[in-house]
Amino acid sequence: MEKKPYYIAVGSGEILEPEDVTGNFEFEILATEEEVDQLQEVFEELAMNEEDTAVRAMIPFREYHLDKENDVYDWNLTELYRMLHELGTPDTKRHIEAMNVLPPQ
């Protein structure tokens, strides 16, 4: 399959095609439609995880690092950045590496 450019807005969970870009994106990737579908699944998981962590936040005296909901959210967020790094342009790869969000390999 042919890879096409896509533009990613992590905060809003958007995957934009070139004709849809208005300047509001953080990362550029080159991906097949299948890879974009996988990325969309991770965004959907993150959205569900955000709801779980919001509910958990209402429980007093429960520390962040002892919370499975936060662990799942963190894992999915790391997976998102791993995928963006893998599919990213050289600029995207450098930016993600500078963010220091991926575990050492």
Side-chain angles (χ1 to χ4, degrees):
M1 286 187 117
E2 184 181 333
K3 291 190 179 229
K4 299 181 347 186
Y6 292 90
Y7 301 90
I8 311 300
V10 173
S12 61
E14 292 179 284
I15 302 171
L16 306 165
E17 294 196 37
E19 58 272 11
D20 299 327
V21 173
T22 60
N24 296 323
F25 67 91
E26 292 99 23
F27 301 106
E28 180 181 3
I29 63 169
L30 297 172
T32 64
E33 286 184 32
E34 182 179 295
E35 291 166 330
V36 168
D37 290 343
Q38 292 171 350
L39 195 57
Q40 185 62 47
E41 287 178 22
V42 174
F43 273 123
E44 290 168 8
E45 286 289 322
L46 275 171
M48 287 189 298
N49 298 147
E50 283 179 359
E51 292 173 15
D52 293 342
T53 59
V55 170
R56 194 252 9 119
M58 299 300 166
I59 302 170
F61 307 110
R62 196 159 168 200
E63 296 182 35
Y64 184 93
H65 65 282
L66 299 175
D67 191 314
K68 72 176 176 111
E69 290 88 354
N70 287 332
D71 291 342
V72 172
Y73 179 84
D74 290 348
W75 186 90
N76 280 317
L77 190 58
T78 300
E79 180 65 10
L80 174 69
Y81 281 109
R82 185 199 62 74
M83 290 177 73
L84 292 176
H85 185 268
E86 181 180 309
L87 300 170
T89 63
D91 284 343
T92 293
K93 289 178 191 258
R94 279 191 296 277
H95 185 95
I96 291 172
E97 289 165 6
M99 291 171 61
N100 229 5
V101 294
L102 298 177
Q105 294 183 5

